[in-house]
Protein backbone atom coordinates (compact mmCIF):
# COMPACT_ATOMS: atom_id res chain seq x y z
CA UNK A 1 0.00 0.00 0.00
CA UNK A 2 1.28 3.46 -0.84
CA UNK A 3 1.81 5.67 2.16
CA UNK A 4 0.84 9.27 1.50
CA UNK A 5 3.92 11.44 1.98
CA UNK A 6 3.15 13.67 4.97
CA UNK A 7 4.28 17.01 3.58
CA UNK A 8 4.86 17.84 -0.07
CA UNK A 9 6.22 21.04 -1.47
CA UNK A 10 6.43 21.43 -5.25
CA UNK A 11 9.22 23.84 -6.22
CA UNK A 12 9.36 25.40 -9.69
CA UNK A 13 12.46 27.13 -11.03
CA UNK A 14 12.12 29.46 -14.02
CA UNK A 15 14.49 30.09 -16.92
CA UNK A 16 16.90 32.43 -15.13
CA UNK A 17 17.05 30.05 -12.15
CA UNK A 18 18.46 27.31 -14.42
CA UNK A 19 20.21 29.62 -16.91
CA UNK A 20 23.71 28.29 -16.26
CA UNK A 21 25.77 26.15 -13.90
CA UNK A 22 25.91 28.75 -11.11
CA UNK A 23 22.18 29.45 -11.31
CA UNK A 24 21.48 25.71 -11.18
CA UNK A 25 23.65 25.42 -8.08
CA UNK A 26 21.84 28.28 -6.36
CA UNK A 27 18.54 26.54 -7.14
CA UNK A 28 19.93 23.23 -5.88
CA UNK A 29 20.87 24.89 -2.59
CA UNK A 30 17.29 26.18 -2.18
CA UNK A 31 15.92 22.66 -2.68
CA UNK A 32 18.38 21.13 -0.23
CA UNK A 33 17.53 23.73 2.41
CA UNK A 34 13.92 22.49 2.60
CA UNK A 35 13.47 18.75 3.01
CA UNK A 36 9.75 19.13 2.29
CA UNK A 37 10.54 19.81 -1.37
CA UNK A 38 9.79 16.46 -3.01
CA UNK A 39 9.05 17.48 -6.57
CA UNK A 40 10.98 19.98 -8.68
CA UNK A 41 9.55 21.48 -11.87
CA UNK A 42 11.99 23.15 -14.24
CA UNK A 43 11.79 25.59 -17.14
CA UNK A 44 14.22 25.55 -20.04
CA UNK A 45 17.41 27.56 -19.44
CA UNK A 46 16.82 31.29 -20.15
CA UNK A 47 16.65 32.07 -23.86
CA UNK A 48 16.34 28.44 -24.98
CA UNK A 49 12.59 28.39 -25.64
CA UNK A 50 12.82 31.58 -27.72
CA UNK A 51 15.47 29.95 -29.93
CA UNK A 52 13.38 26.79 -30.27
CA UNK A 53 10.26 28.78 -31.17
CA UNK A 54 12.22 30.51 -33.94
CA UNK A 55 13.44 27.15 -35.24
CA UNK A 56 9.90 25.77 -35.14
CA UNK A 57 8.66 28.64 -37.32
CA UNK A 58 10.95 27.33 -40.11
CA UNK A 59 14.33 28.94 -40.83
CA UNK A 60 16.79 28.87 -43.72
CA UNK A 61 19.66 26.43 -43.31
CA UNK A 62 22.26 29.00 -42.22
CA UNK A 63 19.97 30.74 -39.68
CA UNK A 64 19.02 27.33 -38.40
CA UNK A 65 22.64 26.43 -37.82
CA UNK A 66 23.26 29.72 -35.98
CA UNK A 67 20.41 29.05 -33.58
CA UNK A 68 21.50 25.47 -33.00
CA UNK A 69 25.07 26.63 -32.30
CA UNK A 70 23.72 29.10 -29.74
CA UNK A 71 21.64 26.35 -28.14
CA UNK A 72 24.65 24.04 -28.03
CA UNK A 73 26.76 26.75 -26.40
CA UNK A 74 24.18 27.26 -23.61
CA UNK A 75 24.09 23.52 -22.85
CA UNK A 76 27.84 22.97 -23.13
CA UNK A 77 28.58 25.90 -20.84
CA UNK A 78 26.80 23.92 -18.15
CA UNK A 79 28.22 20.53 -19.16
CA UNK A 80 31.80 21.84 -19.12
CA UNK A 81 31.45 22.74 -15.42
CA UNK A 82 30.44 19.21 -14.43
CA UNK A 83 33.01 16.85 -12.92
CA UNK A 84 31.85 13.98 -15.15
CA UNK A 85 30.59 15.56 -18.35
CA UNK A 86 30.89 12.58 -20.75
CA UNK A 87 27.64 10.60 -20.41
CA UNK A 88 25.35 13.61 -20.00
CA UNK A 89 27.22 15.41 -22.81
CA UNK A 90 26.33 12.56 -25.16
CA UNK A 91 22.71 12.57 -24.06
CA UNK A 92 22.39 16.33 -24.64
CA UNK A 93 24.12 16.04 -28.03
CA UNK A 94 21.57 13.42 -28.98
CA UNK A 95 18.75 15.85 -28.09
CA UNK A 96 20.50 18.60 -30.08
CA UNK A 97 20.56 16.26 -33.08
CA UNK A 98 16.82 15.70 -32.64
CA UNK A 99 16.33 19.47 -32.55
CA UNK A 100 18.32 19.84 -35.74
CA UNK A 101 16.28 17.16 -37.51
CA UNK A 102 12.93 18.59 -36.35
CA UNK A 103 14.01 22.14 -37.29
CA UNK A 104 14.85 20.94 -40.79
CA UNK A 105 11.40 19.40 -41.14
CA UNK A 106 9.85 22.62 -39.77
CA UNK A 107 11.60 24.58 -42.52
CA UNK A 108 9.68 22.68 -45.20
CA UNK A 109 6.50 21.68 -43.34
CA UNK A 110 5.95 23.64 -40.12
CA UNK A 111 3.04 22.58 -37.91
CA UNK A 112 1.80 23.27 -34.40
CA UNK A 113 2.37 19.63 -33.39
CA UNK A 114 5.92 19.68 -34.70
CA UNK A 115 6.53 22.99 -32.95
CA UNK A 116 5.53 21.49 -29.58
CA UNK A 117 7.73 18.44 -30.14
CA UNK A 118 10.61 20.80 -30.90
CA UNK A 119 10.19 23.35 -28.11
CA UNK A 120 9.76 20.60 -25.49
CA UNK A 121 13.51 19.90 -25.87
CA UNK A 122 14.37 22.99 -23.83
CA UNK A 123 12.82 21.59 -20.65
CA UNK A 124 14.08 18.07 -21.43
CA UNK A 125 17.67 19.35 -21.59
CA UNK A 126 17.55 21.61 -18.51
CA UNK A 127 16.00 18.87 -16.36
CA UNK A 128 18.60 16.28 -17.43
CA UNK A 129 21.42 18.70 -16.65
CA UNK A 130 19.90 19.65 -13.30
CA UNK A 131 19.78 15.99 -12.26
CA UNK A 132 23.54 15.82 -12.94
CA UNK A 133 24.20 18.98 -10.94
CA UNK A 134 22.35 17.47 -7.98
CA UNK A 135 23.99 14.08 -8.41
CA UNK A 136 27.41 15.69 -8.23
CA UNK A 137 26.33 17.28 -4.94
CA UNK A 138 25.57 13.77 -3.67
CA UNK A 139 21.78 14.07 -3.86
CA UNK A 140 19.71 11.05 -4.90
CA UNK A 141 17.25 12.19 -7.57
CA UNK A 142 15.07 10.71 -10.26
CA UNK A 143 14.45 12.35 -13.64
CA UNK A 144 10.79 12.06 -14.48
CA UNK A 145 9.15 12.72 -17.85
CA UNK A 146 6.27 15.15 -17.13
CA UNK A 147 4.47 13.94 -20.27
CA UNK A 148 3.58 10.76 -18.40
CA UNK A 149 1.35 12.77 -16.08
CA UNK A 150 0.44 16.13 -17.65
CA UNK A 151 -2.36 14.88 -19.91
CA UNK A 152 -3.80 17.61 -22.14
CA UNK A 153 -6.07 17.99 -25.13
CA UNK A 154 -4.45 18.23 -28.57
CA UNK A 155 -4.61 22.00 -28.87
CA UNK A 156 -0.90 22.24 -29.71
CA UNK A 157 0.79 25.42 -28.57
CA UNK A 158 -1.71 26.15 -25.79
CA UNK A 159 -3.02 22.77 -24.74
CA UNK A 160 -5.56 22.56 -21.96
CA UNK A 161 -4.88 20.12 -19.11
CA UNK A 162 -7.30 17.29 -18.37
CA UNK A 163 -7.50 17.64 -14.60
CA UNK A 164 -9.07 14.26 -13.78
CA UNK A 165 -6.52 12.36 -15.90
CA UNK A 166 -3.64 14.28 -14.34
CA UNK A 167 -4.91 13.42 -10.83
CA UNK A 168 -5.13 9.74 -11.73
CA UNK A 169 -1.76 9.59 -13.48
CA UNK A 170 -0.01 11.52 -10.70
CA UNK A 171 -1.41 9.15 -8.12
CA UNK A 172 -0.17 6.12 -10.06
CA UNK A 173 3.08 7.36 -11.49
CA UNK A 174 4.34 10.12 -9.26
CA UNK A 175 3.15 9.58 -5.71
CA UNK A 176 4.92 6.22 -5.20
CA UNK A 177 8.18 7.76 -6.46
CA UNK A 178 8.07 10.72 -4.08
CA UNK A 179 9.20 8.62 -1.16
CA UNK A 180 12.08 7.04 -3.00
CA UNK A 181 13.89 10.11 -4.25
CA UNK A 182 13.62 13.75 -5.04
CA UNK A 183 11.82 13.97 -8.39
CA UNK A 184 13.02 16.35 -11.10
CA UNK A 185 10.60 17.01 -13.92
CA UNK A 186 9.82 19.51 -16.68
CA UNK A 187 7.37 22.36 -16.68
CA UNK A 188 5.46 23.51 -19.76
CA UNK A 189 5.22 20.14 -21.55
CA UNK A 190 2.54 17.48 -21.60
CA UNK A 191 1.04 14.93 -23.93
CA UNK A 192 -2.33 14.30 -25.49
CA UNK A 193 -4.26 11.04 -25.33
CA UNK A 194 -2.43 9.76 -28.43
CA UNK A 195 0.95 10.41 -26.81
CA UNK A 196 1.91 13.48 -28.87
CA UNK A 197 3.92 16.12 -27.04
CA UNK A 198 1.96 19.29 -26.25
CA UNK A 199 2.79 22.55 -24.46
CA UNK A 200 0.77 24.75 -22.10
CA UNK A 201 1.60 28.11 -23.72
CA UNK A 202 4.53 30.45 -23.03
CA UNK A 203 5.46 30.69 -19.38
CA UNK A 204 3.53 27.46 -18.74
CA UNK A 205 5.97 25.93 -16.24
CA UNK A 206 4.29 27.83 -13.39
CA UNK A 207 1.04 26.18 -14.46
CA UNK A 208 2.65 22.70 -14.48
CA UNK A 209 3.84 23.25 -10.90
CA UNK A 210 0.38 24.14 -9.65
CA UNK A 211 -1.29 21.36 -11.66
CA UNK A 212 1.04 18.83 -10.05
CA UNK A 213 0.55 20.50 -6.67
CA UNK A 214 -3.18 20.05 -7.11
CA UNK A 215 -2.90 16.44 -8.27
CA UNK A 216 -0.70 15.51 -5.30
CA UNK A 217 -2.58 17.76 -2.87
CA UNK A 218 0.69 19.43 -2.01
CA UNK A 219 1.07 21.61 1.05
CA UNK A 220 2.67 24.43 -0.90
CA UNK A 221 3.85 25.39 -4.37
CA UNK A 222 7.00 27.53 -4.54
CA UNK A 223 7.70 29.58 -7.65
CA UNK A 224 11.38 30.58 -7.73
CA UNK A 225 12.13 33.30 -10.24
CA UNK A 226 14.35 36.37 -10.65
CA UNK A 227 12.31 38.75 -8.44
CA UNK A 228 11.76 38.44 -4.69
CA UNK A 229 7.98 38.18 -4.97
CA UNK A 230 5.00 39.87 -6.57
CA UNK A 231 5.33 43.66 -6.65
CA UNK A 232 2.86 46.51 -7.02
CA UNK A 233 3.98 46.58 -10.65
CA UNK A 234 6.79 45.14 -12.76
CA UNK A 235 9.94 46.37 -10.96
CA UNK A 236 11.68 46.52 -14.34
CA UNK A 237 9.30 49.36 -15.29
CA UNK A 238 9.10 51.04 -11.89
CA UNK A 239 12.10 50.41 -9.62
CA UNK A 240 10.11 51.95 -6.72
CA UNK A 241 7.52 49.14 -6.94
CA UNK A 242 6.87 47.59 -3.54
CA UNK A 243 6.75 43.92 -2.73
CA UNK A 244 3.34 42.60 -1.73
CA UNK A 245 3.96 40.25 1.21
CA UNK A 246 0.58 38.57 1.12
CA UNK A 247 -2.07 38.60 -1.59
CA UNK A 248 -5.29 36.67 -2.20
CA UNK A 249 -5.62 34.08 -4.97
CA UNK A 250 -8.18 36.20 -6.77
CA UNK A 251 -6.09 39.36 -6.77
CA UNK A 252 -2.90 37.57 -7.88
CA UNK A 253 -4.86 35.69 -10.50
CA UNK A 254 -6.24 38.97 -11.82
CA UNK A 255 -2.69 40.36 -11.97
CA UNK A 256 -1.48 37.33 -13.92
CA UNK A 257 -4.42 37.51 -16.33
CA UNK A 258 -3.70 41.15 -17.05
CA UNK A 259 -0.04 40.60 -17.82
CA UNK A 260 2.04 40.37 -14.62
CA UNK A 261 4.47 37.93 -16.18
CA UNK A 262 5.73 36.71 -12.83
CA UNK A 263 2.94 34.09 -12.93
CA UNK A 264 1.41 32.31 -15.93
CA UNK A 265 -2.26 33.43 -16.07
CA UNK A 266 -3.67 29.99 -15.19
CA UNK A 267 -1.22 29.20 -12.38
CA UNK A 268 -3.51 30.00 -9.50
CA UNK A 269 -6.57 28.12 -10.71
CA UNK A 270 -5.40 24.67 -9.50
CA UNK A 271 -4.05 26.19 -6.28
CA UNK A 272 -7.40 27.86 -5.62
CA UNK A 273 -9.33 24.65 -6.25
CA UNK A 274 -7.34 22.83 -3.57
CA UNK A 275 -6.53 25.86 -1.41
CA UNK A 276 -2.78 25.36 -1.72
CA UNK A 277 -0.69 28.40 -0.78
CA UNK A 278 1.76 29.59 -3.43
CA UNK A 279 5.05 31.28 -2.53
CA UNK A 280 6.92 33.47 -5.02
CA UNK A 281 10.59 34.28 -4.34
CA UNK A 282 13.95 34.93 -5.94
CA UNK A 283 16.37 32.08 -6.51
CA UNK A 284 19.12 34.70 -6.71
CA UNK A 285 18.35 35.93 -3.21
CA UNK A 286 16.18 33.48 -1.28
CA UNK A 287 16.88 35.30 1.99
CA UNK A 288 15.02 38.35 0.64
CA UNK A 289 11.71 36.58 1.31
CA UNK A 290 8.82 36.77 -1.09
CA UNK A 291 5.08 36.87 -1.57
CA UNK A 292 2.60 34.42 -0.12
CA UNK A 293 -0.49 33.92 -2.26
CA UNK A 294 -3.29 32.39 -0.26
CA UNK A 295 -7.00 32.19 0.22
CA UNK A 296 -7.61 35.55 1.84
CA UNK A 297 -5.20 38.38 2.41
CA UNK A 298 -5.68 40.64 5.41
CA UNK A 299 -7.11 44.12 4.76
CA UNK A 300 -7.02 44.05 0.96
CA UNK A 301 -6.44 47.61 -0.28
CA UNK A 302 -8.48 49.44 -2.92
CA UNK A 303 -5.44 49.69 -5.18
CA UNK A 304 -3.38 46.53 -5.29
CA UNK A 305 -1.20 46.63 -8.40
CA UNK A 306 -0.71 47.75 -11.97
CA UNK A 307 -0.13 45.31 -14.81
CA UNK A 308 0.55 45.67 -18.50
CA UNK A 309 -0.26 43.28 -21.31
CA UNK A 310 1.54 44.05 -24.54
CA UNK A 311 0.87 42.84 -28.11
CA UNK A 312 -2.81 43.76 -27.97
CA UNK A 313 -4.91 44.33 -31.08
CA UNK A 314 -8.07 46.40 -31.13
CA UNK A 315 -10.68 44.92 -33.44
CA UNK A 316 -13.66 47.12 -34.29
CA UNK A 317 -16.68 45.68 -36.05
CA UNK A 318 -19.22 48.09 -37.52
CA UNK A 319 -22.66 46.94 -38.61
CA UNK A 320 -23.31 47.86 -42.26
CA UNK A 321 -26.89 46.77 -42.84
CA UNK A 322 -29.48 48.13 -40.44
CA UNK A 323 -29.50 44.95 -38.39
CA UNK A 324 -31.00 45.20 -34.88
CA UNK A 325 -28.20 45.58 -32.30
CA UNK A 326 -28.95 42.28 -30.54
CA UNK A 327 -28.78 40.29 -33.80
CA UNK A 328 -25.52 41.97 -34.83
CA UNK A 329 -23.94 41.17 -31.45
CA UNK A 330 -25.13 37.57 -31.59
CA UNK A 331 -23.82 37.06 -35.15
CA UNK A 332 -20.41 38.57 -34.42
CA UNK A 333 -19.91 36.64 -31.18
CA UNK A 334 -20.89 33.42 -32.96
CA UNK A 335 -18.18 34.00 -35.59
CA UNK A 336 -15.56 34.88 -32.97
CA UNK A 337 -16.44 31.82 -30.95
CA UNK A 338 -16.17 29.54 -34.01
CA UNK A 339 -12.64 30.86 -34.50
CA UNK A 340 -11.77 30.29 -30.81
CA UNK A 341 -11.09 33.97 -30.23
CA UNK A 342 -10.68 34.57 -26.51
CA UNK A 343 -12.35 37.88 -25.71
CA UNK A 344 -11.78 39.22 -22.25
CA UNK A 345 -12.58 42.86 -22.91
CA UNK A 346 -15.39 44.15 -25.05
CA UNK A 347 -17.30 47.41 -25.40
CA UNK A 348 -20.37 47.85 -27.56
CA UNK A 349 -22.52 50.61 -29.00
CA UNK A 350 -25.75 50.44 -31.03
CA UNK A 351 -23.88 49.68 -34.27
CA UNK A 352 -20.33 48.71 -33.30
CA UNK A 353 -18.35 46.29 -31.20
CA UNK A 354 -14.79 46.94 -30.02
CA UNK A 355 -12.81 44.07 -28.60
CA UNK A 356 -9.25 43.36 -27.62
CA UNK A 357 -7.32 40.43 -29.01
CA UNK A 358 -4.52 39.27 -26.78
CA UNK A 359 -1.54 37.68 -28.51
CA UNK A 360 0.74 37.37 -25.47
CA UNK A 361 1.28 33.80 -24.42
CA UNK A 362 -1.66 32.67 -26.52
CA UNK A 363 0.44 29.86 -27.92
CA UNK A 364 3.95 28.48 -27.57
CA UNK A 365 4.49 29.05 -31.28
CA UNK A 366 4.06 32.14 -33.35
CA UNK A 367 0.40 31.67 -34.27
CA UNK A 368 -1.61 34.82 -34.94
CA UNK A 369 -4.96 35.29 -33.18
CA UNK A 370 -6.27 37.40 -36.06
CA UNK A 371 -6.17 34.80 -38.81
CA UNK A 372 -6.99 35.47 -42.47
CA UNK A 373 -9.99 33.15 -42.31
CA UNK A 374 -11.42 35.07 -39.33
CA UNK A 375 -10.88 38.42 -41.08
CA UNK A 376 -12.49 37.13 -44.27
CA UNK A 377 -15.55 35.85 -42.47
CA UNK A 378 -15.97 39.02 -40.40
CA UNK A 379 -15.53 41.25 -43.49
CA UNK A 380 -18.36 39.51 -45.28
CA UNK A 381 -20.73 40.59 -42.47
CA UNK A 382 -19.51 44.00 -41.35
CA UNK A 383 -16.87 46.70 -41.75
CA UNK A 384 -13.72 45.67 -39.91
CA UNK A 385 -11.11 48.02 -38.44
CA UNK A 386 -7.90 46.67 -36.95
CA UNK A 387 -5.40 48.58 -34.83
CA UNK A 388 -2.29 46.68 -33.73
CA UNK A 389 0.65 47.56 -31.45
CA UNK A 390 -1.40 48.46 -28.44
CA UNK A 391 -0.93 47.72 -24.76
CA UNK A 392 -3.45 47.16 -22.02
CA UNK A 393 -2.67 48.86 -18.72
CA UNK A 394 -4.76 47.53 -15.83
CA UNK A 395 -5.28 48.74 -12.31
CA UNK A 396 -6.04 45.77 -10.08
CA UNK A 397 -7.77 46.31 -6.80
CA UNK A 398 -10.77 45.62 -4.61
CA UNK A 399 -14.29 47.03 -4.75
CA UNK A 400 -13.15 49.36 -7.52
CA UNK A 401 -16.63 49.75 -8.92
CA UNK A 402 -18.09 50.84 -5.58
CA UNK A 403 -15.47 53.11 -4.09
CA UNK A 404 -16.09 56.84 -4.41
CA UNK A 405 -13.44 59.12 -5.88
CA UNK A 406 -11.60 56.42 -7.77
CA UNK A 407 -12.34 57.83 -11.20
CA UNK A 408 -10.99 61.23 -10.29
CA UNK A 409 -7.75 59.80 -8.89
CA UNK A 410 -7.16 57.28 -11.66
CA UNK A 411 -8.23 59.42 -14.60
CA UNK A 412 -6.06 62.27 -13.36
CA UNK A 413 -3.09 59.90 -13.73
CA UNK A 414 -4.12 59.12 -17.31
CA UNK A 415 -4.63 62.75 -18.28
CA UNK A 416 -1.78 62.99 -20.79
CA UNK A 417 -2.07 59.54 -22.31
CA UNK A 418 -3.88 58.75 -25.58
CA UNK A 419 -6.41 56.22 -24.28
CA UNK A 420 -7.95 54.09 -27.06
CA UNK A 421 -10.48 52.16 -24.95
CA UNK A 422 -11.55 51.91 -21.30
CA UNK A 423 -13.12 48.88 -19.61
CA UNK A 424 -14.61 49.02 -16.15
CA UNK A 425 -17.67 47.63 -14.44
CA UNK A 426 -17.91 43.91 -15.20
CA UNK A 427 -15.37 43.15 -12.48
CA UNK A 428 -14.86 45.21 -9.36
CA UNK A 429 -11.25 44.05 -9.37
CA UNK A 430 -9.98 45.81 -12.47
CA UNK A 431 -10.01 49.00 -14.44
CA UNK A 432 -8.36 48.75 -17.88
CA UNK A 433 -6.98 51.24 -20.37
CA UNK A 434 -5.92 50.41 -23.90
CA UNK A 435 -3.07 52.60 -25.12
CA UNK A 436 -0.52 52.76 -27.94
CA UNK A 437 2.30 50.37 -26.99
CA UNK A 438 4.87 53.14 -26.58
CA UNK A 439 2.74 55.00 -24.01
CA UNK A 440 2.26 52.03 -21.68
CA UNK A 441 5.40 52.32 -19.55
CA UNK A 442 4.86 56.02 -18.97
CA UNK A 443 1.24 55.46 -18.03
CA UNK A 444 2.32 52.80 -15.52
CA UNK A 445 4.95 55.13 -14.06
CA UNK A 446 2.50 58.02 -13.64
CA UNK A 447 -0.24 55.85 -12.20
CA UNK A 448 2.19 54.11 -9.85
CA UNK A 449 3.45 57.45 -8.59
CA UNK A 450 -0.04 58.78 -7.92
CA UNK A 451 -1.63 55.62 -6.53
CA UNK A 452 1.18 53.68 -4.81
CA UNK A 453 4.14 55.88 -3.91
P1 LIG B 1 10.64 32.88 -14.88
O1 LIG B 1 11.54 32.64 -16.04
O2 LIG B 1 11.28 32.62 -13.57
O3 LIG B 1 9.31 32.20 -15.04
P2 LIG B 1 9.49 35.38 -15.76
O4 LIG B 1 10.38 36.25 -16.58
O5 LIG B 1 8.45 34.61 -16.46
O6 LIG B 1 10.40 34.45 -14.87
O7 LIG B 1 8.76 36.26 -14.64
C1 LIG B 1 9.53 37.10 -13.80
C2 LIG B 1 9.45 38.54 -14.29
O8 LIG B 1 8.12 39.00 -14.16
C3 LIG B 1 10.24 39.54 -13.49
O9 LIG B 1 11.58 39.61 -13.92
C4 LIG B 1 9.49 40.84 -13.72
O10 LIG B 1 10.12 41.66 -14.66
C5 LIG B 1 8.16 40.40 -14.29
N1 LIG B 1 7.00 40.98 -13.59
C6 LIG B 1 5.94 41.54 -14.23
N2 LIG B 1 5.07 42.01 -13.34
C7 LIG B 1 5.57 41.77 -12.11
C8 LIG B 1 5.09 42.02 -10.79
N3 LIG B 1 3.95 42.64 -10.56
N4 LIG B 1 5.88 41.61 -9.76
C9 LIG B 1 7.05 40.97 -9.99
N5 LIG B 1 7.54 40.72 -11.21
C10 LIG B 1 6.80 41.09 -12.27
N1 LIG C 1 10.23 27.54 -21.25
C1 LIG C 1 8.87 27.98 -21.45
C2 LIG C 1 8.86 29.42 -21.91
O1 LIG C 1 9.89 30.05 -22.02
C3 LIG C 1 8.01 27.76 -20.24
C4 LIG C 1 8.42 28.54 -19.01
O2 LIG C 1 9.54 29.03 -18.92
O3 LIG C 1 7.58 28.66 -18.10
O4 LIG C 1 7.80 29.91 -22.21
MG1 LIG D 1 7.63 32.69 -16.22
Amino acid sequence: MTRIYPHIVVAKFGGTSVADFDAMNRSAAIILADHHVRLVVLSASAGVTNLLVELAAGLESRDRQDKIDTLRAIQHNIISRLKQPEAIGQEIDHLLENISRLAETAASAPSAALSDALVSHGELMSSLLFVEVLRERGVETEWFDARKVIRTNDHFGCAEPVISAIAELAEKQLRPRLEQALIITQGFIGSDAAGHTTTLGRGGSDYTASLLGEALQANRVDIWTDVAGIYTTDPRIVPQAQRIDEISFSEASEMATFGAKVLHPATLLPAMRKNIPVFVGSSKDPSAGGTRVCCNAENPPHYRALAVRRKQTLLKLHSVNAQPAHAFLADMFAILSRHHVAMDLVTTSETSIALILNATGATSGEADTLTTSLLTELSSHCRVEVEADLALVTLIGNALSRAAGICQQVFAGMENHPVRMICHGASSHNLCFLLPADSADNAIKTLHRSLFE
Side-chain angles (χ1 to χ4, degrees), residues 12 14-15 225-227 229-231 233-236 255 260-262:
K12 176 259 170 178
T225 178
D226 60 356
V227 272
I230 302 178
Y231 283 67
T233 193
D234 187 341
R236 280 182 214 238
M255 286 181 73
K261 196 186 160 221
V262 63

Side-chain angles (χ1 to χ4, degrees), residues 128-202:
L128 283 165
L129 289 168
F130 196 70
V131 165
E132 275 317 295
V133 168
L134 281 165
R135 190 168 293 155
E136 293 201 350
R137 292 177 72 132
V139 185
E140 189 58 34
T141 61
E142 183 181 339
W143 183 87
F144 184 81
D145 190 332
R147 292 171 294 187
K148 287 187 184 163
V149 166
I150 301 291
R151 174 62 51 78
T152 69
N153 65 7
D154 62 0
H155 204 156
F156 298 105
C158 56
E160 277 150 34
V162 184
I163 306 301
S164 54
I166 294 174
E168 213 173 290
L169 291 165
E171 206 52 51
K172 256 196 230 141
Q173 307 252 19
L174 259 181
R175 177 142 359 241
R177 290 181 153 89
L178 292 179
E179 280 191 71
Q180 315 302 323
L182 175 66
I183 307 292
I184 311 294
T185 195
Q186 311 78 39
F188 182 53
I189 70 174
S191 68
D192 68 7
H196 301 121
T197 299
T198 56
T199 61
L200 300 174
R202 292 305 304 269

Side-chain angles (χ1 to χ4, degrees), residues 12-17 43-44 46 203 205-206 223-237 244 255 259-264 280 305-308:
K12 176 259 170 178
F13 293 85
T16 45
S17 308
S43 291
S205 298
D206 302 329
I223 304 285
W224 293 100
T225 178
D226 60 356
V227 272
I230 302 178
Y231 283 67
T232 46
T233 193
D234 187 341
R236 280 182 214 238
I237 304 175
I244 302 166
M255 286 181 73
K261 196 186 160 221
V262 63
L263 291 177
H264 176 278
V280 181
L306 291 162
V308 57

